[in-house]
Amino acid sequence: MNSSRTGLRRAALAVLSAALVATAAGTAQAHPGKVGPGKGHHHGKGHPKPAASLRDLADRRHVLIGTAVDTTALAEDGAYRAATAREFSSVTAENVMKWEVVEPERGRYDWSAADELVRFARAHGQQVRGHTLLWHNQLPAWLTEGVADGSIDAKELRKILREHITAEVKHFKGKIYQWDVVNEVFEEDGSLRDSIWLQQLGPSYIADAFRWAHRADPGAKLFMNDYNVEGVNAKSTAYYELAKKLRAQGVPVQGMGVQAHLDIQYGFPTDLAANLARFDRLGLRTAITEADVRMFTPSDPAKLARQASDYRGLLAACLATKGCTSFTVWGFTDKYSWVPGTFEGEGEANILDADFRHKPAYEALREELAKRH
Ligand code: 9MR
C-alpha cells in the first residue's frame, strides 16, 4: 500500500469514533424529501422519451459533470466507453497524467495514454481536468531514488520540478481547463505534509509550482486539491489560509478542489457548502474533484439510500456555490474502482453498478440536476 492510501485510511480511522456517533444525525439531515422528474411519464405514442443523461441536465445548470477515466477500461470495454461519452462533460485522467507515467525515465516523456484521453474528450465534446502536477505519490523511481541516494540535491530537484511542470502544462496547453497543481500537501492537523518537496525545497515550492504552471498556460485555472477537506476543519482551514496568503502575494492560485472520498459509516460533512462558500468569497473557484461514497459490502437498500443521499448532498453543495463549476466522480461504475483494493471489505462506491445499471445514487444526481433553481 502506498503512503496516500495509508494516509487516507489513517485519517478515516482517526475520525471513526466521532463519526459513528454523528452518522445517524447526518443521515436524517442529508435526506430531504424528493420527487422524481416525471418518472415513467410517456411522450408521444407510447414511446418513452429517452431519459436525459447527467451531462444533458448539467449543461442546463452551467456546471460540468465529470468522471475520472481508467484509460485501460476505456480502450478495452465498449460499455464503459459508451457510458463515459454519454454521461459526462468533463474527464480526469485517473492515473495517466501522473509523473511516473508521463516521465518514466528522466527527460523521456510519454504522453501517449494521456493524449489518447484528450482525443477521446475532444471527439465527445468533453473538457479535461488535469491531475496532477505535484504529488508525493506515483513519482518515478529515478526521482525518489535519486533524492534518497543524494545524487539529486535540492537545487537539482527544484530544477527537475520546474521542468516537469513546464513540460506537462505546455504539452496540454489550451486543452486543460483546470489543473490540480498541488495535490494533498497538508496533513490532517493543518501542517504541511512532510514530503520530499517540503524536506528538500521548503514551503516555497507551492508558490513556485503555481507560478511555473501559470507561465506555461495562462488560460488554465490552477487548483489545490485534497481529501478530508469537505467540512471546515484544520486541514481545509490550512488551505484557506494558504490561498489567502498566496493571492495577497500575487501567486496565481485560482481554485480549491475537494476530493470527497466519503464512506457511509461516517456522518455527511454538512458544513461542505459553508466551506466552499468561504473559498468562493476569497475569489477562488471550487470543484468536487473525486467524489465516491464507499460502504462495507455487500450493499443493501438502506446503504444504497444513504450513499445516494451523500452523492446528492455533495452535488447540492456544489450547485449552491457560484464558483463551483465542476463536479467529478472518481470513476462511475463499480466494475472499476480503487476502493476494494485499498479499504478491506469496502466497495460499491460508484453511481452505476458493475453491470452499468443505475444505482439510487445515479438517480439522486439526476434529480438534483433536474431541480428548478
Ligand atoms: O484511483 C487512483 C488509483 O488507481 C491509483 O492506484 C492511486 C495511487 O495512489 O491513486 C488513485 O487516485 C487518487 C488520486 O490520484 C488522488 N486522490 C486519491 C485518489 C484515490 O487514492
Side-chain angles (χ1 to χ4, degrees):
M1 179 183 293
N2 60 42
S3 59
S4 161
R5 289 168 169 186
T6 315
L8 275 169
R9 180 177 293 181
R10 243 203 328 267
L13 288 174
V15 294
L16 173 62
S17 48
L20 281 174
V21 177
T23 301
T27 308
Q29 274 176 15
H31 213 321
K34 53 187 179 186
V35 183
K39 252 192 221 138
H41 185 76
H42 287 240
H43 297 256
K45 292 195 172 115
H47 293 297
K49 195 177 164 194
S53 65
L54 293 176
R55 71 182 286 184
D56 293 337
L57 296 168
D59 278 355
R60 299 180 207 155
R61 302 295 299 263
H62 306 292
V63 70
L64 293 168
I65 180 108
T67 183
V69 175
D70 174 337
T71 49
T72 306
L74 194 72
E76 294 172 357
D77 183 336
Y80 181 88
R81 205 157 45 241
T84 304
R86 175 183 145 80
E87 298 292 346
F88 301 99
S89 47
S90 170
V91 291
T92 305
E94 184 173 1
N95 287 302
V96 298
M97 288 189 189
K98 292 171 180 174
W99 200 327
E100 70 174 5
V101 177
V102 299
E103 197 182 1
E105 289 164 40
R106 187 163 178 186
R108 183 175 71 78
Y109 294 103
D110 179 359
W111 310 110
S112 54
D115 284 347
E116 196 58 49
L117 178 61
V118 171
R119 259 195 300 279
F120 180 90
R122 289 231 149 165
H124 296 96
Q126 296 165 319
Q127 308 253 22
V128 183
R129 269 200 107 251
H131 177 82
T132 172
L133 297 172
L134 183 154
W135 197 18
H136 57 279
N137 250 326
Q138 291 180 287
L139 290 169
W142 61 262
L143 190 155
T144 50
E145 284 165 12
V147 171
D149 70 18
S151 61
I152 296 175
D153 65 10
K155 190 160 170 266
E156 184 73 0
L157 186 65
R158 187 165 184 274
K159 180 169 172 265
I160 288 171
L161 180 61
R162 189 184 64 231
E163 288 174 353
H164 166 73
I165 290 178
T166 304
E168 178 144 17
V169 178
K170 272 203 174 143
H171 180 81
F172 295 109
K173 187 167 187 236
K175 298 174 177 164
I176 300 273
Y177 72 106
Q178 295 177 347
W179 262 115
D180 289 334
V181 176
V182 297
N183 193 42
E184 302 173 4
V185 295
F186 282 105
E187 303 282 359
E188 300 305 297
D189 67 359
S191 61
L192 279 174
R193 182 187 287 274
D194 191 22
S195 65
I196 61 166
W197 307 115
L198 184 68
Q199 287 162 9
Q200 302 290 316
L201 310 181
S204 63
Y205 79 84
I206 297 179
D208 286 340
F210 280 97
R211 289 197 178 103
W212 294 328
H214 185 64
R215 216 167 289 159
D217 184 357
K221 296 292 175 213
L222 305 183
F223 276 64
M224 316 176 289
N225 188 52
D226 214 324
Y227 59 88
N228 286 353
V229 292
E230 291 71 39
V232 176
N233 56 35
K235 197 178 191 180
S236 62
T237 299
Y239 277 100
Y240 177 75
E241 295 300 337
L242 176 68
K244 198 157 50 170
K245 190 175 98 193
L246 292 178
R247 285 171 70 86
Q249 295 169 356
V251 178
V253 177
Q254 296 147 339
M256 177 64 197
V258 171
Q259 293 182 6
H261 293 290
L262 303 187
D263 184 325
I264 62 163
Q265 69 180 304
Y266 308 123
F268 181 80
T270 47
D271 49 355
L272 171 60
N275 188 36
L276 295 178
R278 66 178 172 159
F279 285 96
D280 207 61
R281 284 193 297 271
L282 269 190
L284 265 72
R285 287 175 191 237
T286 50
I288 303 297
T289 55
E290 307 185 10
D292 55 20
V293 183
R294 60 187 182 271
M295 62 182 66
F296 284 95
T297 55
S299 62
D300 61 34
K303 290 181 188 174
L304 291 172
R306 167 60 198 272
Q307 178 184 56
S309 162
D310 279 13
Y311 270 104
R312 177 194 297 277
L314 290 172
L315 178 59
C318 178
L319 292 174
T321 310
K322 192 159 186 296
C324 189
T325 48
S326 69
F327 178 91
T328 293
V329 293
W330 205 242
F332 59 89
T333 162
D334 292 336
K335 190 170 178 184
Y336 308 105
S337 167
W338 68 291
V339 169
T342 303
F343 298 93
E344 215 179 313
E346 294 193 76
E348 299 191 39
N350 304 105
I351 59 176
L352 303 186
D353 72 13
D355 296 317
F356 299 92
R357 282 186 300 247
H358 298 172
K359 291 164 65 178
Y362 175 90
E363 300 302 344
L365 292 185
R366 281 177 43 93
E367 287 172 16
E368 205 55 39
L369 287 169
K371 271 184 187 162
R372 291 191 188 282
H373 57 290

